[in-house]
C-alpha cells in the first residue's frame, strides 16, 4: 500500500472540516446537496490509500446521502487523530 503523506492528510482534513462545518449549520437543502456532491467528487481525487483507510473499505463512504453526516464527522475525527499522532 502506498504511504499516506502528511500533506494528503492535512489537505483532506482542511477540506472536509470546512465543508462539514458549513453542512451542519446549513438549513438549505440545496447547499447540503452541493456539499455532498463536491465531497463525493473529492473522494475520487484524494489519495486512494487515505480514502481506503478512512472508509474501512466501504465503497460508499462519503458518497451515500443516508449516512453522509455520520461519514464526514467520522472522517474529520480520524484525520484529526492522525494529525495529532503525527505531531506527538
Amino acid at each position: 500500500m502506498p504511504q499516506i503523506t502528511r500533506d494528503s492528510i492535512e489537505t483532506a482534513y482542511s477540506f472536509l472540516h470546512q465543508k462539514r462545518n458549513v453542512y451542519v449549520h446549513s438549513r438549505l437543502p440545496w447547499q447540503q446537496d452541493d456539499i455532498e456532491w463536491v465531497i463525493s467528487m473529492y473522494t475520487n481525487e484524494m489519495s486512494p490509500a487515505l480514502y481506503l483507510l478512512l472508509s474501512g473499505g466501504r465503497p460508499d463512504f462519503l458518497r451515500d446521502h443516508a449516512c453522509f453526516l455520520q461519514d464526514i464527522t467520522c472522517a474529520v475525527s480520524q484525520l484529526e487523530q492522525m494529525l495529532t499522532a503525527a505531531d506527538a
Side-chain angles (χ1 to χ4, degrees), residues 29-83:
W30 65 264
Q31 186 178 42
Q32 290 179 326
D33 289 344
D34 285 355
I35 291 170
E36 289 181 30
W37 179 81
V38 77
I39 295 296
S40 178
M41 294 297 101
Y42 177 73
T43 63
N44 294 326
E45 302 300 322
M46 71 187 293
S47 159
L50 181 56
Y51 180 77
L52 182 61
L53 179 67
L54 294 174
S55 70
R58 206 178 97 217
D60 65 345
F61 185 75
L62 293 170
R63 299 173 180 155
D64 181 357
H65 173 76
C67 52
F68 181 80
L69 180 57
Q70 179 182 347
D71 288 352
I72 196 167
T73 300
C74 179
V76 168
S77 177
Q78 288 181 75
L79 291 162
E80 190 172 283
Q81 290 173 12
M82 292 168 78
L83 289 171

